[in-house]
Amino acid sequence: MSVKVHWNEGETLPKNRMILAAVPGVGNVGKLVLDTMIEHYDSRLLAQIIHPDLPPHATMNADGLLTPPHLAVHAVEIQSQLIIAITGTGQPMTPRGQHELADAILKMAKKSSEMLLVLAGLSADPGDEEIHITCADSSVRDSLQELGIDISSEQPAGGMLGLAGLLVSLSPMYDVPSAACMSETIGTSVDIQAADRLAKRISTDFNLALEL
């Protein structure tokens, strides 16, 4: 495994209500939700997940210092709930790298979290504004439906690519309850409205009390 985790606080994730994960994609919808959440609420950087297949682009951090390509792991306090947000400016450029990163995140989730939600955009026609929630485990599907959450059996019709799809589809093998939450978007630019719809939907369905 080529994954390295640089911990700023502790050596494992604290017990948490939920992990939210997103990487850049269609409309950058999921990433925009998490970036806004991290900025809006009290949050702290717990760790940086580093992999050599991430795009080799070092960036400046808030202190004006170069930081290597990574996925950032933040702890976010939302009305006495501890939520973990995992996001970054890219994902590994190889299938193996994406699998290795998914493996590392799912192992973290198994030890610490009640559920993993992957947030993403879903390419659609102009005017389409639906939110689709899907999962990879029938027991998770049934439990979410019992809570009144509508689970899609038709979307995403073309599947999910990259790290986002792997996190959800591999989760049953790690015994991690997970779901993908996707907001329809034309995806030609950063879609603020699609991100807003997604934030409101997950806040309602999963009782997150988000006010973004």
Side-chain angles (χ1 to χ4, degrees):
M1 288 284 290
S2 301
V3 177
K4 294 182 180 179
V5 181
H6 175 69
W7 291 98
N8 288 2
E9 179 181 315
E11 294 184 352
T12 59
L13 288 182
K15 293 293 183 180
N16 60 84
R17 160 90 197 283
M18 186 173 290
I19 295 176
L20 302 179
V23 291
V26 181
N28 270 5
V29 173
K31 176 172 167 51
L32 182 56
V33 172
L34 293 193
D35 287 346
T36 306
M37 188 178 76
I38 291 166
E39 181 179 348
H40 183 72
Y41 292 100
D42 290 334
S43 63
R44 61 190 191 276
L45 180 65
L46 298 180
Q48 295 173 321
I49 308 175
I50 298 171
H51 192 283
D53 289 347
L54 283 165
H57 181 197
T59 55
M60 301 287 284
N61 64 17
D63 297 322
L65 302 174
L66 278 176
T67 183
H70 65 279
L71 294 186
V73 182
H74 283 87
V76 186
E77 296 282 349
I78 304 175
Q79 295 190 3
S80 301
Q81 300 179 101
L82 180 62
I83 304 298
I84 301 298
I86 302 179
T87 189
T89 58
Q91 61 178 304
M93 298 182 293
T94 64
R96 177 177 292 275
Q98 292 166 8
H99 271 270
E100 290 180 346
L101 213 53
D103 174 82
I105 292 171
L106 287 167
K107 286 178 178 176
M108 288 182 184
K110 181 177 176 64
K111 296 178 180 178
S112 69
S113 186
E114 298 176 18
M115 189 166 193
L116 168 68
L117 287 185
V118 175
L119 309 183
L122 180 65
S123 183
D125 295 326
D128 291 344
E129 298 182 348
E130 289 191 55
I131 305 292
H132 302 279
I133 300 177
T134 188
C135 50
D137 187 289
S138 59
S139 62
V140 174
R141 177 196 61 204
D142 294 344
S143 64
L144 293 178
Q145 288 178 330
E146 288 176 3
L147 295 173
I149 298 174
D150 186 23
I151 304 299
S152 173
S153 60
E154 298 179 355
Q155 294 290 352
M160 293 182 69
L161 294 173
L163 179 61
L166 289 173
L167 284 171
V168 179
S169 62
L170 290 173
S171 63
M173 303 175 192
Y174 293 78
D175 197 26
V176 174
S178 76
C181 305
M182 298 158 287
S183 182
E184 291 183 338
T185 173
I186 58 174
T188 55
S189 61
V190 176
D191 194 335
I192 297 173
Q193 293 181 333
D196 185 58
R197 292 194 300 272
L198 182 60
K200 289 176 179 176
R201 176 66 180 272
I202 64 172
S203 181
T204 299
D205 282 1
F206 297 96
N207 298 316
L208 292 179
L210 291 177
E211 297 179 0
L212 301 182

